[in-house]
Amino acid sequence: MNAPGFSGQLADIDIRLLKVFVGVVEAGGFTPAEAQLGIARSTISTHIANLEARLGLTLCRRGRGGFALSQEGQLVYREALTLIDALNAFGERVSGVGNRLTGNLNLAVIDGIMTLPQVKVSEALSRFRALAPDVHIKLSVLSSQDMERRLLDGSLHVAILGLHRKKAGLAYREIAREIQYVYCGRGHPLFEKKQISSSDLTAHDYVGLSHEDLPHATERPYQTRPAASAGNLEGVLLLLQTGRFLGRLPTQFADGLVENGTLRPLRPDLTRYEQSFAVATPVSVQVPAVLAAFLDCFERENAGRD
């Protein structure tokens, strides 16, 4: 990465600034990166300005028009990912020489994973932590599409995601399934209606999960496009409780709300949808020691082994 004002020699400060830059790009801007990076927006802005000065490049546009990468910024982002992945891989390989595991474990899970009691993520992380106390665990909650993208670009080691269409370059192992139905909230025209027809399911507005439903909406039995979207299950529930939308939820998430009269399932015979979940990892000839250790802990907890 040679540029005016940049000698080509990377210092520690350059690596730190590049990591901040990658965090900003993946968060989609300076403001959303505050929570992800744990750094104030003003400090992030200073870091990016310093990086641009050190590289002699304009990396992004920020302001009223929103955040967008320049052409040079896109190149720097791709190269930074390659660099960070190489540094992490070096740390993991070196850590395997000794008896203690060190480095990072970058894990992501799908929203609502805690509603699947058969998927023992916390227990696996507890076992892993006892085995590898020097490893830094970074846990993210992302959409399945984002997880697959980050697995392929090397910024994630392992993901627990909703299984839709398998991506080349990734290995999947199915670990659980859940049943989902379409629901409406109290106050919706269908909530008190005794006979629900198939046409009722397409005659009303629908709320879906932002990243999961939009690409797959026409695969559902009711074949309708979402009129609203939410980023997680709690968001879908909030919109259902307005009495203005239909929406799909996992049964284990919705059952208690059905019992207390908050939600009503609509035509389970027509709207039943079975969602599979899987552990996904990049296809690799040599699995990093940290990842291999976590996968073993996960397998032992979810298989009930000591």
Side-chain angles (χ1 to χ4, degrees):
M1 265 190 313
N2 290 312
F6 180 57
S7 66
Q9 299 296 316
L10 281 173
D12 288 346
I13 182 62
D14 297 309
I15 295 172
R16 289 197 295 271
L17 294 178
L18 285 168
K19 287 181 177 179
V20 171
F21 174 61
V22 167
V24 170
V25 174
E26 293 182 346
F30 287 28
T31 299
E34 283 186 289
Q36 181 171 315
L37 297 175
I39 305 174
R41 188 184 185 284
S42 59
T43 304
I44 293 174
S45 181
T46 299
H47 286 337
I48 299 303
N50 288 341
L51 179 62
E52 289 179 323
R54 293 178 71 84
L55 295 177
L57 300 171
T58 299
L59 300 178
C60 57
R61 183 188 73 242
R62 56 269 200 190
R64 293 184 178 179
F67 175 84
L69 287 178
S70 66
Q71 187 172 0
E72 293 83 0
Q74 294 174 11
L75 172 63
V76 171
Y77 172 64
R78 292 194 298 270
E79 295 296 330
L81 288 176
T82 300
L83 171 65
I84 292 168
D85 184 46
L87 289 171
N88 289 336
F90 171 79
E92 289 161 0
R93 286 194 296 269
V94 170
S95 74
V97 174
N99 294 325
R100 293 181 70 85
L101 291 168
T102 61
N104 300 303
L105 175 69
N106 296 327
L107 164 69
V109 298
I110 194 72
D111 169 55
I113 196 68
M114 296 295 288
T115 68
L116 290 169
Q118 68 270 42
V119 182
K120 299 178 179 179
V121 181
S122 296
E123 294 86 343
L125 285 171
S126 177
R127 181 187 285 261
F128 176 75
R129 184 64 178 172
L131 175 69
D134 296 327
V135 173
H136 177 81
I137 300 170
K138 182 178 179 182
L139 177 63
S140 304
V141 179
L142 302 170
S143 71
S144 295
Q145 285 78 11
D146 282 343
M147 282 189 268
E148 288 172 328
R149 176 177 61 81
R150 295 192 186 191
L151 286 168
L152 289 169
D153 70 26
S155 57
L156 276 182
H157 296 121
V158 57
I160 300 173
L161 46 71
L163 185 57
H164 296 290
R165 296 185 180 91
K166 294 181 178 180
K167 291 286 185 71
L170 298 179
Y172 300 83
R173 183 173 71 82
E174 186 175 329
I175 55 172
R177 293 188 178 191
E178 70 179 12
I179 304 302
Q180 303 172 2
Y181 297 139
V182 170
Y183 295 83
C184 69
R186 179 172 291 281
H188 191 277
L190 298 183
F191 193 85
E192 302 291 348
K193 188 175 181 181
K194 292 184 178 180
Q195 298 295 326
I196 305 296
S197 68
S198 59
S199 60
D200 285 328
L201 300 175
T202 56
H204 296 272
D205 288 338
Y206 163 71
V207 54
L209 284 170
S210 307
H211 300 288
E212 301 298 332
D213 276 13
L214 292 174
H216 305 287
T218 56
E219 298 174 8
R220 310 297 184 228
Y222 37 91
Q223 295 186 332
T224 183
R225 299 294 293 177
S229 60
N232 52 43
L233 297 178
E234 287 77 9
V236 173
L237 175 59
L238 282 172
L239 288 167
L240 289 180
Q241 289 179 316
T242 67
R244 303 287 183 178
F245 299 96
L246 308 182
R248 181 171 54 86
L249 289 172
T251 55
Q252 75 274 7
F253 182 85
D255 282 349
L257 297 163
V258 173
E259 291 176 8
N260 68 23
T262 299
L263 297 178
R264 176 189 174 185
L266 301 173
R267 292 296 301 270
D269 60 318
L270 291 179
T271 67
R272 175 188 169 99
Y273 179 77
E274 192 166 325
Q275 174 65 63
S276 297
F277 296 89
V279 173
T281 55
V283 173
S284 176
V285 175
Q286 183 175 2
V287 179
V290 169
L291 175 57
F294 172 75
L295 291 175
D296 182 66
C297 291
F298 187 87
E299 175 66 24
R300 288 176 178 276
E301 285 296 336
N302 287 273
R305 289 189 285 154
D306 293 332

